[in-house]
Amino acid sequence: MTCAADAPSGDRRVTIAMNAETVRALSASGFSLYGFMAVGGSDRAGLPLVWLQTSDYSLHTAVSWTERFEAYTTLEAVARGASIRAAASYPIAAGETLEVEDPKGIGTVVRGGVPGALSIENRTAAPLACGLAAAQGGASSPICVFPLHGNNLQILVPVRRVLLMFSVVQIPPGTAIGRASGPGILIDTEGARERAVAFDTDAGWSAGGSTWAQQVPASANIVPLLVIPVPLDL
């Protein structure tokens, strides 16, 4: 997590305001702040991953990220609760395809993919899994995981939507989950590089009644909020 003043130009950021009582209460109970990023994909087996976990929060906390992505492959199975670690990861841009030529997930990024999308093609018969990773705090962390069956293709589209959540449940980054474990807020950053929200231990999240924010109840199913069917012009 980077402070807003330290974030490079062109980053997107969400600033969280809290009062001193809320910060002290969260810290005393051992709450962590979690972040998730949305992705467009048509495979209904896809799952969101914990992208950010931190206890480094205070009265004003900025979550910043860059819109630079990597396509990764993994040998891990796609399942709720799974800890996903990239076997191989490559910078990728819209319209490019990661062509996987090795059963260990190794491949090459080439041009000629679906316009506006990031594609991952398995040219082997070995079952793998794959997804996208996003840069945050100087490093990339996976944001989603999808099955990548042998001789198959995943077409993914980054979506400018993040979910922030406070929870006492300790969930390491890279963990695939399906339900919230604490109060959350879904924030649409389309059309704005900066958003500002607030959190209170009892009142929960707020965004001044803005239409770009949606409260997410504790225990809510977050998969349809973060894995979104996107029509593609193939």
Side-chain angles (χ1 to χ4, degrees), residues 1 5 12 19 23 28 42 50 71 76 88 102 110 112 121 123 142 147 152 164 181-182 199 206 216:
M1 184 168 59
R12 291 183 182 267
N19 61 35
V23 174
S42 297
V50 174
E76 310 288 346
D102 187 287
V110 300
E121 181 180 358
R123 294 193 165 191
N152 220 310
L164 300 178
S181 57
F199 182 77
S206 60
V216 178

Side-chain angles (χ1 to χ4, degrees), residues 122-202:
N122 188 355
R123 294 193 165 191
T124 80
L128 298 166
C130 68
L132 300 181
Q136 195 279 331
S140 290
S141 181
I143 64 172
C144 60
V145 64
F146 290 82
L148 185 63
H149 301 295
N151 298 297
N152 220 310
L153 174 72
Q154 285 288 1
I155 302 172
L156 306 177
V157 180
V159 177
R160 287 173 173 159
R161 186 180 299 176
V162 295
L163 189 153
L164 300 178
M165 175 184 78
F166 279 107
S167 176
V168 293
V169 179
Q170 297 302 299
I171 315 170
T175 302
I177 70 170
R179 291 195 174 273
S181 57
I185 187 169
L186 187 68
I187 302 164
D188 190 341
T189 67
E190 185 66 47
R193 292 196 175 274
E194 299 187 26
R195 298 292 196 196
V197 298
F199 182 77
D200 178 88
T201 45
D202 295 315

Side-chain angles (χ1 to χ4, degrees), residues 92-99 108-121 123 153-155 233-234:
I92 193 169
E96 294 183 337
T97 299
L98 169 58
E99 294 182 347
T108 305
V109 174
V110 300
R111 295 293 301 174
V114 176
L118 312 176
S119 303
I120 306 171
E121 181 180 358
R123 294 193 165 191
L153 174 72
Q154 285 288 1
I155 302 172
D233 182 8
L234 300 177

Side-chain angles (χ1 to χ4, degrees), residues 14-34:
V14 175
T15 303
I16 307 165
M18 298 185 285
N19 61 35
E21 291 75 16
T22 290
V23 174
R24 292 191 185 105
L26 292 174
S27 181
S29 293
F31 277 84
S32 290
L33 172 64
Y34 290 91

